Structure formats: C-alpha cells, structure tokens
Amino acid sequence: MWNYIFVIGSYLFSIFHSLQSTSYRSKKNRDLYWFVIFALILFVTFRDGSSLNDYDGYVSLYSSVNRIVIEPAFLLIREVARCGGNIYLMFFLYALIGIGTKGIAINNITQLKFLTLCVYISNILILHDMTQMRAGVASGLFLLALPYLKDRKILKYITLISIATLFHYSAILFLFCCIFWVKKLATNKVFLWSIIPLGYLLGGTIVDPSLIPFEPLRLKLEMYQKLNESGTDGYTSLNLFNPYIIFRIILYYIILWKSSLIINKTPYFNVLIFIESIAIFVFPFLSFIPILGYRGSELLGVVEILLYPLMIYCFKPRLYGKICVIGISLLLLIVNLTYKALIKI
C-alpha cells in the first residue's frame, strides 16, 4: 500500500505543478523539480518489495554466493553494498544512477518538466526504476546520451551506451539507433509512416542467436529461446495487437500527424519520434522471442516520457494540451496498476 500512496501522491503533486502558469525556469520550480527527483530516489531505495515482481529476485542475487551470469556493473555495485553491509545501499546506488540520470536528462532536454514527470512517474518509474532497476539505469543513461545522438557526436554517444550495456545487456539495442540515425531517414515521412506496418509484416522473422558475436547477449538470447521452446510461463506468447501496443501506435501516429505544430518547439523532436518508431517496430519484429520483443520495445520506449508531453503544442489554448497529456499519463498509470499489475496491493 505504501508504494501506491507514494506513486499516486508524487503523481498528483506533478499534475498540480504542471497546471501552474508560472515559468519552468523560475528558481521555485527548479527547486521543486529537484525536490521531486530526490524524493523519488529515496522512495525507490526504501520501496516495499513485497508488492513488486523482481524485488525478491534482487534480494536473492545480493545474498547469493554462487557464480551468476549477470552484468558486471551489478556485481560491482553488489560488492560495494556488501562492504557497506546493507542491501539498501545497493538499491540506493541503482536509484541514484537510474533516477538521477533521468532527472538530469529531463532538465537538459525539455522545459515541460512537471508534465514530463507525470508521464515518467505513471510509467517508467514503476516499470524500470521500481521493478527492473538494471534496465532503469540503462534507460537513464540512454536519455542522457540523446543530445550526443542528436548532434551526431557518435563517440560520446557510444561511450555512454557502452556504459549502459554494463548495467543491462539489452542496452545494446541503443546502438542500432546510432546506426540508423540519419537525418534524412529520420525526417522521411514515408519511413516514419511505414516502419510500424513493416515491423508487423516482418514479425517473427527468425534470427539465430548463435550468430551473435557478443557472448553475454548471445547467452541471454539463447536462454530466452530455450524458455520459449520449453513453454515457460511469460516467455511463450506475445499478443501483437494487445490494447497497450495499439494505444502506443495510435499516439505515435497522432504525434506524427501533428508534427508540423511540434517540430519548431524543440530541437529534439526528430530524434524522439525516430526512436519511438524503432521502439514500436521491434515489438512485432522481435516477436520470435516474445520476451525480447516486449522488453526491447519497453526499453527504447523510454523516450515517451519526453515525447508525449510535446502534445501540449497540438492544442490551443495550452491548458487543453496539458489536460490531454495528463489524460495520457493517467491512462498509463491505470494500465500499469491494473492491467499489468506492476504494483500488487
């Protein structure tokens, strides 16, 4: 219940301040923004693990004395926490890096800070930072790297993504954004309108994991494939037309349709809509291993916390736009608390 109270409380706090007309650049709002980020870090550190899916697994990994196949950053942070003698130190370090990097990225990229917090708290905070905390750090580092991708400072981008891969091997997907990030392609209307249907046409295309040269990623994919073939619950099926992915597709095409109203408001629009197109594309395309398509799409979809608030520019007066974005975030919160049941009562 404590998790419910804090998530809903911080969400309502962000809604209240997003509806205020004062400048996001004011000292008061800057201080409030960083207060929320700091509060989220503390909350995630001491969250109630009994109502979260992956919490017990991390407790077991912390206590395990056996050799485990997991990212090296986890092993390092675990040893630091063990030296400190407390598992909460491990949770604090993950929360500090995962939420801290997102906080810095949001502060650097958008002026719509509290609207962005509404979308973040309702979705990615619960999914990544509270549940899949290794993915939470990877997605935070990815957001931090977006300015380098936008400006084509490829070496700096690859450096940050390489660090992210040490926290979660799936972060290697972020490198594909670098490979395909060509301005002409990212602004090509035919590409942006057709990439999702293409993903469904190619959906289920078999990729042999044994051909992947990066051993840790290959071993993880082979494990997922074996779980799929053995019929393990949660790894065997993927509803390509579930309500949540349809919801994301509809929002994507609405934003694309209204892109002329948004593109001049932020220099990040092209890179955000491009990554979102890839995020939805990989959902059906990688469906040959269901968990890979699902989690890969979620990982890349972290850009939605920056993309969805831009819908404010599609409406006049702006209040209607704020209400629209808040409505989207509310639907995401309801989906995560009920349909996905990411927090159990």
Side-chain angles (χ1 to χ4, degrees):
M1 185 58 70
W2 163 241
N3 288 340
Y4 260 91
I5 292 172
F6 188 88
V7 167
I8 294 174
S10 58
Y11 173 71
L12 292 175
F13 181 87
S14 298
I15 286 179
F16 176 78
H17 286 284
S18 70
L19 292 172
Q20 302 302 302
S21 58
T22 54
S23 171
Y24 287 98
R25 296 179 181 177
S26 69
K27 184 179 185 302
K28 178 184 176 182
N29 278 324
R30 288 200 304 270
D31 291 345
L32 282 173
Y33 170 76
W34 288 113
F35 169 77
V36 173
I37 295 298
F38 180 69
L40 292 176
I41 291 172
L42 289 182
F43 160 66
V44 170
T45 298
F46 299 103
R47 63 196 183 275
D48 176 15
S50 64
S51 62
L52 300 169
N53 290 329
D54 290 4
Y55 191 90
D56 290 341
Y58 282 117
V59 172
S60 297
L61 288 172
Y62 174 81
S63 305
S64 176
V65 295
N66 299 322
R67 185 178 181 274
I68 55 175
V69 179
I70 201 168
E71 294 84 359
F74 179 86
L75 298 176
L76 175 62
I77 291 176
R78 184 182 67 172
E79 290 309 308
V80 171
R82 283 176 171 176
C83 290
N86 198 318
I87 191 173
Y88 287 109
L89 178 56
M90 181 178 79
F91 290 140
F92 171 73
L93 291 173
Y94 266 99
L96 179 66
I97 303 171
I99 298 174
T101 50
K102 292 182 186 74
I104 294 170
I106 292 169
N107 186 64
N108 292 342
I109 291 174
T110 181
Q111 294 184 25
L112 308 174
K113 292 179 177 56
F114 286 103
L115 270 181
T116 302
L117 283 178
C118 290
V119 180
Y120 166 55
I121 292 169
S122 67
N123 191 21
I124 297 299
L125 174 75
I126 303 171
L127 176 65
H128 283 175
D129 297 303
M130 289 178 65
T131 307
Q132 304 167 15
M133 64 185 192
R134 286 154 42 237
V137 173
S139 61
L141 289 168
F142 175 53
L143 292 183
L144 206 61
L146 284 182
Y148 300 130
L149 181 63
K150 177 183 74 71
D151 297 333
R152 296 203 60 78
K153 296 179 180 179
I154 302 303
L155 183 59
K156 291 182 177 180
Y157 176 79
I158 291 177
T159 299
L160 272 177
I161 298 307
S162 298
I163 296 172
T165 305
L166 297 177
F167 285 90
H168 202 286
Y169 290 137
S170 299
I172 199 169
L173 281 171
F174 298 141
L175 292 178
F176 288 98
C177 297
C178 174
I179 295 170
F180 294 108
W181 171 242
V182 179
K183 191 173 181 180
K184 289 183 179 179
L185 185 63
T187 57
N188 187 297
K189 294 292 186 181
V190 174
F191 171 80
L192 292 173
W193 282 93
S194 62
I195 184 171
I196 294 174
L198 181 63
Y200 277 90
L201 287 173
L202 298 176
T205 302
I206 301 299
V207 178
D208 187 355
S210 65
L211 300 177
I212 296 175
F214 185 50
E215 183 178 10
L217 181 62
R218 185 180 71 247
L219 292 175
K220 178 161 283 193
L221 291 182
E222 288 175 344
M223 178 191 73
Y224 285 154
Q225 192 171 50
K226 288 177 181 177
L227 289 169
N228 180 30
E229 292 170 352
S230 66
T232 303
D233 186 36
Y235 293 86
T236 58
S237 62
L238 184 66
N239 183 354
L240 296 179
F241 298 96
N242 69 72
Y244 181 59
I245 192 65
I246 296 300
F247 175 67
R248 291 176 65 192
I249 292 172
I250 290 172
L251 289 181
Y252 169 81
Y253 280 118
I254 290 175
I255 294 171
L256 195 57
W257 172 43
K258 294 291 186 178
S259 60
S260 61
L261 300 174
I262 304 173
I263 195 167
N264 293 324
K265 301 297 183 179
T266 171
Y268 287 91
F269 177 73
N270 285 335
V271 70
L272 292 175
I273 196 70
F274 171 75
I275 294 169
E276 178 67 356
S277 72
I278 300 297
I280 300 176
F281 167 82
V282 301
F283 182 78
F285 179 68
L286 297 180
S287 60
F288 66 96
I289 300 180
I291 194 68
L292 182 62
Y294 194 79
R295 291 195 174 178
S297 182
E298 285 182 336
L299 195 61
L300 288 163
V302 68
V303 296
E304 291 167 1
I305 69 175
L306 295 165
L307 182 64
Y308 289 167
L310 297 178
M311 293 184 73
I312 187 177
Y313 300 119
C314 300
F315 298 86
K316 290 184 179 180
R318 290 283 182 260
L319 178 61
Y320 294 165
K322 289 182 179 181
I323 292 172
C324 173
V325 175
I326 290 169
I328 290 169
S329 68
L330 180 60
L331 282 173
L332 288 171
L333 184 63
I334 291 171
V335 166
N336 284 319
L337 295 182
T338 58
Y339 176 72
K340 292 185 178 181
L342 294 181
I343 301 177
K344 298 178 179 62
I345 299 178

